[in-house]
């Protein structure tokens, strides 16, 4: 029974709990048992909160018994990326500098998840402060891809994606600054949606780059992602960039999209610049066959050109380091976590320097240095200012493309999951994993990744992008596509 429960989707589990067929405690226990059985190999979790999960599940069961109303995901387990603060539950952002830190408050999304009766199982592994594309930059060791344990699960949210792919949780939260929800989804054969910037509160996310960061759902079905999106989305007065408008009708779109079985009248734009040289041939083949599937469903396929997308990588790697060099200044040995060398013999500045030296990993230091340089007097206009102009040009490219198409599609990542350790010595080889996901991040527009078949026996993702606040379009097209293609799951032999 336990293993059967872990194979079910979130919406199926919610229905079983709501109907009284299975207790939420049983669902939570089944997932905790699965974690116990496989996570020493996957290492998706940094911290499992079994007591907290069972307690939350008991509360759901009690409320049900008392006849209280259930949220649509009540009693369903969730894995939370460790960059989201959770009251009294250790939150590290994958960094030594926050080792053992117990936040005194909940992020808005943590609070909304609790209030919905969703059961948090624990916190998932990630690249340190969400910098990376493989989860190998975590200070606590890498996560392994449930499709092939010798490969990466993508990043930075590899822990969340691996937990979902490995049946350790049906729901997870990721955060996406340049692709960290979508790229791990692509290489683990799961769903990941980056909402419109401002669509989901950033209050209580440990900031990487504030103008780009956005939390979103990671799941195994499009409907589950929409259900979770609806729980976490919507206005929050604690986040000044939160959009004060209703959440787009994502759940309705997912249901209607699956039921319709047709994309007649939908204009799908294939972005010319997101393909070709540098992309693995197997990825391109899977993408082409996905486009044929969309055409077969009745979509009107058009080619669009977004000439400035080619500068997205360069612009992103100036904007992101600039913002993170400023955001990470708060880790100063005074306010949170680690403090090194505070024995009374040293000046405060020296304690700060020793703490940051010991607490940050190499990628974090690299980006702080690049960002500090790019923002310094005399270089600001040449680098940061210039990158912001490119960002505007990318947003304009999107605007023009959305006049010709309702959604845009591309591969989610140029590559399938690569081997652990393969790209760690070459930052550029790591950065190019996000070639396809960066434009939507820079423009603040929504994008989803859905499984689109295999290459070399490994998952490939299809990215579907929509205009700002039209997240429902991503879900509608993704759900229709999902219903038309064969479902993929990791080979059972890997995690038996
Ligand atoms: N891989 C990208 C980076 O290293 C994206 C990270 C993210 O989205 N958090 O910055």
């Amino acid at each position: 029974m336990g293993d059967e429960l872990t194979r079910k989707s979130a919406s199926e589990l919610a229905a079983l709990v709501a109907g009284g067929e299975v207790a939420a405690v049983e669902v939570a226990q089944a997932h905790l048992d699965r974690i116990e059985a496989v996570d020493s190999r996957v290492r998706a979790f940094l911290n499992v909160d079994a007591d907290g999960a069972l307690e939350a599940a008991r509360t759901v069961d009690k409320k049900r018994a008392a006849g209280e109303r259930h949220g649509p995901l009540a009693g369903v387990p969730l894995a939370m990326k460790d960059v989201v603060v959770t009251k009294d539950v250790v939150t590290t952002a994958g960094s030594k500098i926050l080792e053992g830190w117990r936040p005194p408050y909940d992020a808005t999304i943590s609070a909304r998840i609790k209030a919905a009766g969703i059961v948090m199982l624990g916190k998932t592994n990630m690249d340190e402060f969400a910098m990376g594309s493989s989860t190998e930059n975590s200070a606590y060791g890498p996560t392994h891809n449930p499709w092939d344990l010798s490969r990466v699960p993508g990043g930075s949210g590899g822990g969340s994606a691996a937990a979902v792919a490995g049946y350790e949780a049906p729901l997870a939260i990721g955060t996406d600054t340049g692709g960290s929800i979508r790229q791990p989804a692509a290489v683990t054969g799961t769903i990941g949606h980056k909402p419109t910037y401002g669509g989901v509160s950033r209050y209580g996310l440990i900031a990487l780059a504030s103008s780009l960061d956005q939390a979103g759902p990671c799941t195994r079905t499009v409907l589950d992602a929409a259900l979770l999106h609806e729980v976490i989305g919507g206005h929050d007065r604690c986040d000044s960039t939160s959009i004060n408008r209703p959440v787009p009708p994502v759940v309705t779109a997912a249901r209607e999209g699956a039921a319709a079985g047709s994309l007649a009248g939908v204009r799908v734009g294939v972005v010319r610049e997101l393909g070709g040289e540098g992309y693995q041939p197997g990825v391109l083949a899977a993408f082409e066959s996905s486009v044929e599937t969309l055409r077969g469903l009745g979509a009107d396929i058009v080619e669009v050109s977004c000439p400035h997308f080619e500068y997205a990588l360069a612009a992103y790697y100036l904007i992101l380091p600039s913002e993170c060099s400023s955001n990470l200044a708060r880790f100063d040995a005074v306010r949170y976590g680690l403090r090194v060398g505070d024995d009374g013999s040293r000046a405060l500045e020296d304690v700060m320097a020793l703490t940051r030296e010991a607490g940050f990993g190499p990628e974090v230091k690299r980006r702080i240095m690049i960002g500090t340089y790019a923002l310094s007097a005399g270089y600001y206009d040449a680098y940061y200012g210039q990158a912001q102009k490119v960002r505007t040009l990318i947003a304009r490219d999107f605007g023009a493309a959305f006049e010709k198409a309702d959604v845009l599609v591309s591969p989610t990542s140029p590559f399938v999951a690569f081997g652990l350790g393969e790209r760690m010595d070459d930052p550029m080889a790591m950065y190019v994993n996000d070639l396809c996901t960066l434009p939507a991040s820079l423009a603040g527009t929504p994008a989803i990744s859905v499984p689109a078949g295999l290459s070399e026996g490994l998952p490939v993702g299809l990215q579907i992008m929509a205009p700002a606040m039209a997240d429902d379009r991503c879900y509608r097209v993704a759900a229709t596509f999902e219903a038309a293609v064969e479902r993929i799951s990791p080979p059972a032999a890997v995690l038996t």
Side-chain angles (χ1 to χ4, degrees):
M1 183 67 183
D3 249 10
E4 244 175 66
L5 287 176
T6 59
R7 295 304 187 274
K8 294 202 184 299
S9 69
S11 63
E12 287 166 345
L13 289 171
L16 289 173
V17 172
E21 287 159 74
V22 181
V25 167
E26 216 179 314
V27 175
Q29 191 60 56
H31 287 87
L32 292 169
D33 291 347
R34 173 76 180 167
I35 293 170
E36 180 74 29
V38 303
D39 207 52
S40 59
R41 283 168 285 162
V42 180
R43 300 194 172 278
F45 285 88
L46 288 176
N47 172 18
V48 176
D49 183 20
D51 291 345
L54 292 170
E55 181 60 39
R58 268 193 293 275
T59 306
V60 171
D61 288 334
K62 271 191 218 140
K63 284 194 175 168
R64 207 198 84 79
E68 280 181 46
R69 263 197 64 203
H70 258 262
L73 288 173
V76 180
L78 172 138
M80 182 75 94
K81 189 175 180 183
D82 206 28
V83 74
V84 180
V85 308
T86 42
K87 188 169 191 289
D88 299 330
V89 177
V90 170
T91 300
T92 67
S95 181
K96 284 280 177 218
I97 211 160
L98 280 176
E99 193 165 16
W101 181 58
R102 284 179 200 274
Y105 70 109
D106 265 329
T108 295
I109 62 172
S110 306
R112 287 184 181 175
I113 281 166
K114 274 187 196 166
I118 295 172
V119 173
M120 191 184 82
L121 297 168
K123 308 296 292 287
T124 57
N125 198 15
M126 53 182 284
D127 286 299
E128 186 175 4
F129 288 107
M131 300 183 196
S133 308
S134 68
T135 315
E136 292 167 292
N137 290 333
S138 167
Y140 303 98
T143 295
H144 301 251
N145 192 324
W147 285 78
D148 173 347
L149 298 173
S150 71
R151 290 175 190 266
V152 303
S156 64
S160 285
V164 169
Y167 301 105
E168 296 176 64
L171 299 173
I173 291 290
T175 59
D176 193 310
T177 303
S180 288
I181 291 175
R182 291 164 285 160
Q183 184 258 358
V187 302
T188 58
T190 55
I191 317 284
H193 179 70
K194 182 198 84 81
T196 298
Y197 181 79
V200 173
S201 169
R202 286 186 300 110
Y203 179 73
L205 304 196
I206 296 173
L208 171 54
S210 309
S211 76
L212 297 158
D213 297 344
Q214 195 58 197
C218 311
T219 58
R220 291 190 296 267
T221 73
V222 174
L223 176 61
D224 286 357
L227 288 164
L228 183 55
H229 186 145
E230 202 162 73
V231 169
I232 59 173
H235 183 241
D236 176 18
R237 60 185 182 79
C238 295
D239 172 1
S240 62
T241 57
S242 169
I243 297 171
N244 194 356
R245 273 171 54 186
V247 182
V250 292
V251 173
T252 309
R255 289 194 202 280
E256 286 178 0
S262 162
L263 291 173
V266 179
R267 296 170 305 161
V268 173
V270 176
V271 183
R272 190 188 307 155
E273 288 76 10
L274 298 179
E277 213 183 310
Y279 288 62
Q280 283 175 344
V283 168
L284 291 178
F287 175 66
E288 274 157 34
S289 105
S290 302
V291 172
E292 283 322 304
T293 301
L294 295 167
R295 197 194 302 278
L297 288 163
D300 192 359
I301 309 289
V302 293
E303 193 186 72
V304 297
S305 175
C306 297
H308 299 97
F309 281 16
E310 105 176 67
Y311 307 110
L313 190 77
Y316 174 84
Y317 277 99
L318 283 168
I319 293 169
L320 179 132
S322 299
E323 292 190 20
C324 88
S325 70
S326 160
N327 274 326
L328 268 55
R330 63 167 64 84
F331 301 104
D332 57 2
V334 176
R335 284 175 278 197
Y336 320 85
L338 190 71
R339 183 176 301 164
V340 176
D342 183 22
D343 58 7
S345 74
R346 291 185 179 86
L348 178 61
E349 285 75 9
D350 296 334
V351 173
M352 283 180 186
L354 286 171
T355 301
R356 287 165 70 85
E357 163 62 24
F360 288 142
E363 182 64 22
V364 173
K365 288 176 184 159
R366 179 180 297 127
R367 295 196 194 190
I368 290 174
M369 285 190 286
I370 295 173
T372 306
Y373 181 80
L375 289 178
S376 56
Y379 292 107
Y380 180 98
D381 286 337
Y383 294 116
Y384 184 75
Q386 196 71 4
Q388 290 291 17
K389 287 181 189 161
V390 172
R391 190 173 186 177
T392 301
L393 295 174
I394 288 170
R396 284 189 193 151
D397 277 1
F398 269 114
F402 285 128
E403 291 194 352
K404 297 196 191 111
D406 302 304
V407 293
L408 305 180
V409 292
S410 76
T412 306
S413 164
F415 320 109
V416 293
F418 50 90
L420 284 154
E422 251 175 43
R423 299 192 175 200
M424 279 303 273
D425 297 332
D426 183 353
M428 274 312 284
M430 197 63 90
Y431 298 168
V432 292
N433 282 285
D434 299 304
L435 270 183
C436 312
T437 49
L438 293 173
S441 296
L442 290 165
T445 46
I448 197 167
S449 180
V450 271
L454 303 173
S455 162
E456 306 164 40
L458 295 165
V460 174
L462 170 70
Q463 177 174 235
I464 303 165
M465 298 169 270
M469 286 311 278
D471 298 58
D472 49 311
R473 280 191 211 169
C474 296
Y475 284 99
R476 184 179 302 272
V477 175
T480 310
F481 179 79
E482 175 187 53
V485 297
E486 214 177 308
R487 173 144 302 174
I488 55 169
S489 325
V494 176
L495 287 177
T496 42

